């Protein structure tokens, strides 16, 4: 895990979580798990980081979500989850 509890996510091999999808940036985002959920930090990705708000995808630079909530990096859809 990255220093300070932050986990890097992206297409490049040096990330903690590597997602080999063309719409995911090399260094797409960082996540930081805590007791209340997961903080998401977009790193200026070209495809954006999106969460669901009012049943619609919304692009965010920073957000706090609960574990298991839908998450989209570019066109890659997953759920917000992280090791405790």
């Amino acid at each position: 895990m990255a220093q300070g509890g932050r986990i890097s996510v992206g297409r490049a091999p040096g990330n903690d979580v590597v997602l080999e999808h063309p719409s995911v940036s090399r260094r797409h985002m960082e996540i930081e798990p805590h007791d209340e959920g997961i903080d998401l930090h977009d790193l200026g990705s070209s495809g954006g980081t999106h969460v669901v708000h009012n049943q619609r995808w919304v692009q965010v630079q920073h957000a706090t979500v609960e574990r298991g909530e839908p998450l989209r990096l570019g066109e890659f859809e997953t759920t917000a989850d992280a090791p405790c």
Side-chain angles (χ1 to χ4, degrees):
M1 184 181 297
Q3 186 177 17
R6 285 197 175 195
I7 300 167
S8 62
V9 181
R11 206 175 62 237
N15 288 292
D16 298 310
V17 176
V18 177
L19 300 174
E20 294 182 13
H21 190 276
S23 68
V24 174
S25 293
R26 282 173 272 180
R27 288 203 21 90
H28 198 101
M29 66 181 293
E30 290 182 336
I31 62 174
E32 187 171 6
H34 51 81
D35 292 339
E36 293 77 37
I38 300 172
D39 286 337
L40 310 174
H41 305 274
D42 186 272
L43 299 174
S45 66
S46 59
T49 298
H50 300 77
V51 297
V52 174
H53 180 69
N54 292 332
Q55 299 179 338
R56 293 183 47 193
W57 287 110
V58 177
Q59 187 170 346
V60 296
Q61 294 300 310
H62 172 80
T64 300
V65 298
E66 294 182 17
R67 285 174 173 81
E69 285 192 41
L71 176 63
R72 193 171 78 196
L73 288 77
E75 297 175 11
F76 182 86
E77 292 184 25
T78 187
T79 56
D81 204 3
C84 296

